[in-house]
Amino acid sequence: GILDVLWETELLRPNRPSVIDEVNRNLFVIDSLWQVIPRLYRDMREAFAASYPGELFETPVFLRFGSWIGGDRDGNPFVDADITRKTLHVLRLEALRRHIDTCQELSDLLSVSMRHHLIMPALTKARNDATRRWPHIASEVARRHPGEVYRQWLTVVYHRLQETSAADLIRDEASAAYRSADELIHDIRMIAESLRA
């Protein structure tokens, strides 16, 4: 089985990989992190809730990940500013792709209708503000999921993530692209707060 495959795998590659090849090869770790880290944070929240009933805790960010691949300046002659720029671009696109996929999964799940569930007014207002601010998103929000504010809001988030993925770091004011991770976190927290309420 798997042990045989590992046993019969060459320890050394015949050709030295480029730095960007190394970056792409090591993206496989993200699959595990993307699944495990949210569970770890959820387990911690649940443990706090069980140990301290009635208390509210904001789980701090206690795990951060980094990699030297594509950014190491320890004498690797193939790593320069251009390679580091390309590495950051690859990692940024991979993170955004995963957020886009997760956004779509959430949209598939949150089919809750306003007729059966109260929605926080702040979420409805945010949706209305976004469709006024970015008319190119408004038509799809209006067309899709009538009465399903969570899905409509996730349509806004989805389009903003798509524009973020397509945009360079310099963006014009008409762009719906996220300018910071905090903006995305705010938009997702609005859903969580409305569901909790």
Side-chain angles (χ1 to χ4, degrees), residues 10 26 35-37 60 118 125 143 159 167 181 184:
E10 290 289 349
N26 284 284
Q35 299 299 319
V36 171
I37 301 308
L118 292 175
K125 180 183 182 319
R143 183 177 58 82
H159 281 283
L184 173 60

Side-chain angles (χ1 to χ4, degrees), residues 52-80:
Y52 303 98
E55 296 294 325
L56 295 175
F57 290 98
E58 181 72 29
T59 308
V61 175
F62 60 91
L63 287 175
R64 294 187 188 278
F65 295 91
S67 172
W68 67 90
I69 300 169
D72 55 335
R73 295 294 195 273
D74 61 354
N76 184 337
F78 302 107
V79 177
D80 57 18

Side-chain angles (χ1 to χ4, degrees), residues 6 9 16 23 55 57 61 78 101 104 136 150 166 175 197:
L6 288 173
T9 298
R16 183 181 184 133
V23 170
E55 296 294 325
F57 290 98
V61 175
F78 302 107
D101 291 348
Q104 189 60 54
H136 63 287
Y150 293 121
S175 172

Side-chain angles (χ1 to χ4, degrees), residues 114-127:
M114 286 175 54
R115 292 186 328 131
H116 303 291
H117 180 78
L118 292 175
I119 307 292
M120 273 181 39
L123 185 60
T124 306
K125 180 183 182 319
R127 178 208 55 197

